[in-house]
Amino acid sequence: MDTIKENSHKAIIQTAAASSLGKMILRSCIKENIPVINVVRRDEQVKVLKEIGAKYIVNSSNRNFEYELKKHIDSLNATAAFDCVGGEMTGSLINLLGKNSVVYVYGMLSQEKIAEIDPAELIFNRKKIEGLWTQEIIKRKGAYYMLKVLKKIVKELSGTLKTDIANEFDLGEIDTALN
């Protein structure tokens, strides 16, 4: 949330929105009244996010994905994307966002190199791609910032930052748990 606020982003995009972290980001944005465009891969994930309160959801598996995403970007004036997928997704995001936008890359679920970026978008529209590594943010901001963040995390564990647990297993049942 600090990155969003510090850079005055009024609306954002997030990939892998149905993941545990994606749900946390969604709940945090709802709490802070920041519109978030949620990118998912499957239709059943749409229902899960709507139950949390998501208003803007696009499925990257749909044929009209980029059209739908661009429509939301333009209507909400989204200027930042938080991307944990990488590969072609990062390229699509940077090409669809408006001038002076940024894609923060914090993962590489696709295990592919970033691709399909039109250099003109970076040059003439002043778009950026930045790596986002929490450890570096904490190192740059110092111990007091880290303590403040940890205090907030503990406070929000049962609310904004809660995680859904599907099942619990004893350590001896590790093979069953992994299947």
Side-chain angles (χ1 to χ4, degrees):
M1 293 307 299
D2 290 347
T3 300
I4 296 168
K5 291 177 181 178
E6 288 169 7
N7 294 286
S8 303
H9 298 299
K10 304 295 183 225
I12 68 161
I13 303 164
Q14 71 160 333
T15 59
S19 67
S20 290
L21 180 58
K23 291 174 190 173
M24 292 176 196
I25 292 170
L26 174 60
R27 284 190 288 266
S28 295
C29 285
I30 289 170
K31 185 176 179 179
E32 298 289 333
N33 294 313
I34 298 168
V36 57
I37 304 164
N38 300 278
V39 178
V40 298
R41 290 182 301 148
R42 296 188 308 274
D43 286 333
E44 58 268 19
Q45 294 171 322
V46 172
K47 181 182 177 208
V48 172
L49 294 182
K50 282 185 176 180
E51 288 173 357
I52 294 172
K55 294 180 183 175
Y56 312 100
I57 309 168
V58 290
N59 185 337
S60 63
S61 300
N62 289 349
R63 193 178 75 241
N64 63 346
F65 162 68
E66 287 191 352
Y67 170 79
E68 290 295 320
L69 181 56
K70 180 67 172 157
K71 193 169 66 172
H72 289 309
I73 289 169
D74 291 346
S75 70
L76 297 170
N77 192 28
T79 56
F82 291 82
D83 179 31
C84 62
V85 175
E88 286 184 32
M89 178 60 72
T90 305
S92 292
L93 292 168
I94 202 72
N95 291 327
L96 293 170
L97 281 161
K99 287 184 176 186
N100 301 305
S101 294
V102 60
V103 176
Y104 298 101
V105 180
Y106 69 94
M108 50 187 175
L109 291 173
S110 70
Q111 297 182 348
E112 298 172 358
K113 293 181 179 181
I114 294 173
E116 301 299 320
I117 296 173
D118 180 355
E121 294 294 330
L122 304 175
I123 298 166
F124 302 114
N125 291 323
R126 296 172 307 282
K127 297 179 185 181
K128 297 186 290 186
I129 301 170
E130 292 186 19
L132 187 66
W133 186 239
T134 307
Q135 195 171 8
E136 289 299 316
I137 294 170
I138 291 170
K139 194 187 309 181
R140 187 178 74 240
K141 293 192 174 189
Y144 177 73
Y145 175 80
M146 187 174 93
L147 289 172
K148 193 169 84 170
V149 168
L150 288 173
K151 184 178 177 182
K152 185 174 182 176
I153 288 171
V154 169
K155 181 181 171 189
E156 297 293 334
L157 278 176
S158 62
T160 307
L161 301 179
K162 80 174 183 176
T163 300
D164 299 324
I165 299 172
N167 211 334
E168 293 183 25
F169 296 90
D170 290 328
L171 190 55
E173 300 173 287
I174 192 161
D175 290 332
T176 305
L178 294 174
N179 292 323

